[in-house]
Amino acid sequence: MEREENGMENEVKLTKLAKCAGCGAKVGAGTLARLLEGLQVRSDPNLLVGFDRSDDASVYKISDELALVQTVDFFPPIADDPFLFGQIAAANALSDVYAMGGEPKLALNLMCVPQDMPREAVHGILRGGYEKAYEAGCIITGGHSIFDQEPKYGLAVTGFVHPDRVLTNAGARPGDVLVLTKPLGVGILTTAHKAGMASQASMDRVFGLMTTLNRAARDVMVRFRVHACTDVTGFGLLGHLLEMAQGSGVEMRLETGAIDLLEEALELARMGLLPEGMYRNRTFAEPSVDPGDTPLWVQDVLYDPQTAGGLLMAVDPADAEALLQALEGRVPSAQRIGTAGHWRGGARILLR
């Protein structure tokens, strides 16, 4: 019966129903900042992190021992298989709580479906979300659905964190070591996949990366002196790193040769096969990036929008080696990719 149901799910080519895939559909960082400009922000001493901080989630203090972490994320299909799409969308939404140092506990479904979508496909998406949430120790307790021409799915997630242990993207300090936990190139490969130009081996790895929770990375991270954290998603590595640099008042020096780039994504970038979101990310971040002698196609992968990407941490240099050793074998790719330094004006990110 399981094989029969999955077979019916696979008859629906979900990515053909959407113009953009996954986090590539995200509004660009620069555009988003302009849209939020001028909105009144109410002050509350218990609101530890709000939307005015360009962070991954909001954090509200309930007591001296407990704070709520809240986030929401949903997007169009990035995989044809409904169950796989549900898993990826859930992993991506849960990631924002992990990036704040929290543990996800409750979630609500957000779903848009065409009126003629087969019941089996809708059920498959939801089942994928439920299974990934269950793996995270999170309970989906309901949600909301509407009809739409394009399918979309995601979660509104609530998690818990100690108020004194909240991690934001604005705490990096000069001297901190930058650590990343997943390779880059997902957006390029999923775009190529829609055009039938990505190998099955690469896509198998990409789908594995996107369904891997950042739970293990978070569980290791909270044992060390990590000063700042964010997850690398729709704004690409350089977009999210720029937000961290600006929020922390530092500059970031990246060792591009130390960054794990998916080989086939690099080849496709060299060919010029790139997602639209890459260009949005470049427009936002490029004025603050000194590329040095970095080849254009390598830069493209660094701007590539990721879906359910890894955690990017700024860790105290005294803890960096121990953190990397603890991450080894528990995350897809434990990488030491650069350092934070004093910003003296000019570019915030230096590629070397």
Side-chain angles (χ1 to χ4, degrees):
M1 180 65 184
E2 183 74 7
R3 281 197 301 270
E4 179 182 348
E5 182 178 64
N6 283 338
M8 295 178 74
E9 290 174 12
N10 285 329
E11 289 177 4
V12 180
K13 298 295 184 184
L14 292 180
T15 59
K16 303 299 183 185
L17 303 178
K19 295 178 181 177
C20 296
C23 285
K26 195 171 181 176
V27 175
T31 302
L32 183 60
R34 291 192 295 272
L35 291 173
L36 296 175
E37 189 177 356
L39 290 180
Q40 182 179 3
V41 180
R42 296 186 180 276
S43 62
D44 186 322
N46 290 317
L47 183 63
L48 305 182
V49 182
F51 82 85
D52 55 314
R53 295 271 296 274
S54 299
D55 226 309
D56 297 301
S58 63
V59 182
Y60 191 88
K61 182 178 177 180
I62 300 297
S63 70
D64 290 342
E65 301 294 324
L66 181 68
L68 291 181
V69 184
Q70 290 192 309
T71 186
V72 60
D73 210 315
F74 67 107
F75 49 58
I78 196 166
D80 286 323
D81 179 77
F83 178 73
L84 180 58
F85 168 46
Q87 286 186 304
I88 294 169
N92 186 74
L94 293 160
S95 181
D96 284 341
V97 175
Y98 293 131
M100 306 298 290
E103 297 180 88
K105 292 298 180 182
L106 298 172
L108 297 171
N109 285 314
L110 291 167
M111 176 172 255
C112 305
V113 293
Q115 293 192 47
D116 59 352
M117 178 174 281
R119 174 190 173 278
E120 293 81 7
V122 176
H123 183 265
I125 295 171
L126 293 171
R127 188 163 57 86
Y130 272 82
E131 288 209 7
K132 193 52 62 174
Y134 179 77
E135 181 185 336
C138 181
I139 305 170
I140 296 179
T141 59
H144 186 66
S145 58
I146 64 171
F147 289 124
D148 193 1
Q149 291 182 349
E150 286 189 0
K152 303 172 186 72
Y153 177 66
L155 298 175
V157 186
T158 297
F160 299 152
V161 68
H162 192 286
D164 297 334
R165 298 172 192 153
V166 177
L167 290 171
T168 74
N169 66 358
R173 305 173 187 177
D176 280 353
V177 174
L178 301 175
V179 173
L180 183 62
T181 65
K182 289 185 183 182
L184 303 177
V186 165
I188 292 169
L189 281 162
T190 53
T191 298
H193 180 60
K194 286 186 70 172
M197 295 181 65
S199 71
Q200 189 58 52
S202 287
M203 292 314 301
D204 288 344
R205 186 175 184 201
V206 163
F207 290 139
L209 290 170
M210 291 191 292
T211 54
T212 298
L213 293 172
N214 282 324
R215 180 179 187 174
R218 177 266 174 201
D219 290 348
V220 170
M221 173 178 71
V222 296
R223 293 160 34 200
F224 297 91
R225 287 173 292 177
V226 172
H227 297 143
C229 183
T230 188
D231 58 341
V232 178
T233 55
F235 298 156
L237 174 63
L238 294 185
H240 288 287
L241 190 62
L242 176 58
E243 288 188 332
M244 183 182 287
Q246 291 173 330
S248 304
V250 299
E251 71 177 27
M252 302 297 193
R253 303 159 187 163
L254 287 187
E255 301 167 16
T256 56
I259 302 174
D260 189 359
L261 307 178
L262 294 170
E263 185 176 348
E264 191 170 338
L266 205 54
E267 294 172 4
L268 291 164
R270 192 191 292 260
M271 294 166 52
L273 204 162
L274 301 164
E276 183 181 349
M278 191 286 300
Y279 295 100
R280 291 196 296 269
N281 292 340
R282 182 184 281 278
T283 298
F284 164 64
E286 189 173 42
S288 298
V289 176
D290 176 354
D293 297 326
T294 306
L296 181 61
W297 56 90
V298 173
Q299 295 179 50
D300 290 339
V301 183
L302 302 183
Y303 286 113
D304 181 42
Q306 307 300 286
T307 298
L311 295 188
L312 172 65
M313 311 168 195
V315 57
D316 190 290
D319 281 8
E321 194 57 41
L323 171 65
L324 284 162
Q325 289 180 6
L327 287 171
E328 198 68 42
R330 299 198 63 188
V331 299
S333 180
Q335 311 155 57
R336 179 179 182 142
I337 65 169
T339 57
H342 292 281
W343 182 60
R344 297 178 177 83
R348 287 279 188 181
I349 300 175
L350 310 177
L351 304 185
R352 297 296 182 260

